[in-house]
Amino acid sequence: MTTNKICRETFIRLSHEIEQQIVGQQALVQRLLLTLLCDGHLLLEGAPGLAKTRAIKTLASGLEADFHRIQFTPDLLPADLTGSDVFRPETGSFTFNKGPLFHNVILADEINRAPAKVQSALLEAMEERQITVGAASYPLPPLFLVMATQNPIEQEGTYPLPEAQLDRFLLHVRVDYPDKNASRKILQLVRQEALNSLDHQEAPVLTKVTQEQVFTARREIMQLHLAETIEEYIVEIIETTRNPAQYDQELSSWIRWGSSPRGAIAIERAARATAWLAERDFVTPEDVQKVTSDALRHRILLNYEAEADGITTQQCIDQILINVPAP
């Protein structure tokens, strides 16, 4: 068995183990792995109690990496994320104390509860992988992911994320309720966990993925074969969001603003990672279609008329995939 094959099988095994603990959310687990493999950031949106936070913590426990959870609140300050310069009287100089953003995996819990000045502190970190405090800049670790959650139900005490920040998330995933079968399995899992806790039994240990394996997987993913026709297909999808009138008049009446170039990058990388996890060395149109919704959901702005008529971004994306022929 080659080293590369071992690397891929380690990720697949970790995926199966996480699915045993995050019941009924296979799509969510896959998106977590895609984000890790694509060197991106992830925004999870869903009602309370759908295992968003648990899923991220479970993935982090399967990585040989530093993990830190930040609970976003309205009184949070930028320095609470980045760190700050602290004066040392004994030396008469300032020393930089690193903040939680200098960990490898960041769980930004309820990210939309913090005001704009805190959100702005994330912009540089998410895009440039560095922190600037005062006149000095500090690089973040080579393995750095922001995995954020937000609750779409409660509006009081929340702040809409700026479009520039939304665009920095590789994927925006909507988490739905589990079906009846999965709900029953969740009851059984929680009951077993409670019994294990009472009996002082340790939780099952996940397969550990090293940082070197993550970087090896990313390298393999970027080397997968991507046909020119698939590349053109991705570009055509993005072009449809920017010039919808050339493809569909109804789409044109819905879309106010289309996707940035990051949308095309997100689709390509996520499609590559999807193919890699499926143990293929080439990307198919189906790989592209599987990830397009999560890659574009937060990158398309609807106009006021469409919102008033109850049109959703998902309807736009579905219509785009109908209008753009697959190769």
Side-chain angles (χ1 to χ4, degrees):
M1 186 181 293
T2 65
T3 304
N4 291 352
K5 189 173 182 182
I6 292 173
C7 178
R8 175 152 40 191
E9 289 187 355
T10 302
F11 276 94
I12 293 172
R13 186 163 62 251
L14 176 62
S15 173
H16 292 327
E17 291 173 357
I18 296 175
E19 286 175 8
Q20 296 301 311
Q21 298 192 32
I22 312 297
V23 179
Q25 299 288 4
Q26 288 85 358
L28 167 58
V29 173
Q30 189 197 43
R31 295 305 186 260
L32 288 170
L33 283 176
L34 291 185
T35 304
L36 172 64
L37 291 168
C38 295
D39 191 18
H41 308 291
L42 178 69
L43 177 61
L44 294 182
E45 182 177 324
L50 296 184
K52 301 185 298 296
T53 300
R54 177 185 171 117
I56 295 170
K57 290 173 66 177
T58 303
L59 173 67
S61 69
L63 299 175
E64 290 186 0
D66 295 330
F67 170 75
H68 193 91
R69 174 177 177 171
I70 307 171
Q71 193 66 45
F72 277 60
T73 56
D75 60 347
L76 206 64
L77 297 173
D80 295 329
L81 302 183
T82 61
S84 58
D85 290 323
V86 177
F87 182 69
R88 305 292 183 188
E90 61 273 15
T91 62
S93 61
F94 286 90
T95 303
F96 179 64
N97 276 5
K98 292 181 177 181
L101 285 184
F102 285 86
H103 290 80
N104 300 118
V105 182
I106 306 297
L107 165 54
D109 210 12
E110 297 192 279
I111 190 172
N112 57 334
R113 290 198 177 278
K117 62 182 179 181
V118 176
Q119 303 297 344
S120 65
L122 284 171
L123 294 177
E124 181 184 18
M126 293 174 69
E127 181 64 20
E128 300 176 39
R129 309 301 173 95
Q130 69 175 23
I131 294 294
T132 300
V133 176
S137 295
Y138 306 91
L140 293 172
L143 178 64
F144 175 72
L145 297 92
V146 174
M147 294 192 168
T149 70
Q150 68 176 17
N151 179 350
I153 298 175
E154 296 181 37
Q155 299 301 321
E156 188 174 348
T158 62
Y159 304 82
L161 297 183
E163 298 301 330
Q165 185 180 0
L166 281 174
D167 198 31
R168 282 163 167 76
F169 285 103
L170 180 87
L171 303 174
H172 176 190
V173 178
R174 294 258 171 86
V175 185
D176 293 324
Y177 289 105
D179 59 26
K180 288 192 295 184
N181 241 1
S183 294
R184 189 174 178 183
K185 290 179 181 177
I186 290 170
L187 287 177
Q188 295 167 356
L189 176 64
V190 172
R191 184 165 60 244
Q192 187 59 51
E193 288 179 345
L195 288 171
N196 290 344
S197 177
L198 290 170
D199 294 337
H200 304 290
Q201 294 183 19
E202 293 185 3
V205 178
L206 297 180
T207 295
K208 286 289 185 179
V209 174
T210 66
Q211 293 191 32
E212 186 56 42
Q213 285 177 314
V214 174
F215 299 137
T216 298
R218 289 176 178 176
R219 193 177 303 111
E220 288 183 20
I221 287 167
M222 294 308 293
Q223 292 172 346
L224 285 186
H225 176 67
L226 183 78
E228 285 188 17
T229 53
I230 301 292
E231 194 171 78
E232 291 168 3
Y233 183 43
I234 294 171
V235 170
E236 201 72 18
I237 288 172
I238 298 301
E239 186 63 24
T240 309
T241 71
R242 298 171 182 167
N243 299 294
Q246 297 180 13
Y247 300 85
D248 188 297
Q249 285 303 317
E250 191 173 38
L251 268 178
S252 179
S253 67
W254 294 346
I255 297 177
R256 176 162 58 100
W257 204 260
S259 171
S260 73
R262 288 195 187 105
I265 295 168
I267 292 174
E268 186 210 345
R269 289 197 176 179
R272 284 177 176 274
T274 301
W276 187 81
L277 286 172
E279 302 184 73
R280 280 185 277 103
D281 59 0
F282 59 93
V283 179
T284 67
E286 289 74 23
D287 294 327
V288 171
Q289 293 160 4
K290 283 179 183 176
V291 301
T292 296
S293 291
D294 293 333
L296 295 186
R297 180 175 289 117
H298 52 306
R299 293 187 167 98
I300 296 176
L301 293 183
L302 303 182
N303 58 38
Y304 301 113
E305 291 80 5
E307 290 178 349
D309 291 340
I311 302 299
T312 65
T313 309
Q314 185 60 53
Q315 285 176 266
C316 284
I317 296 170
D318 291 341
Q319 194 68 21
I320 287 169
L321 290 176
I322 291 171
N323 279 279
V324 180

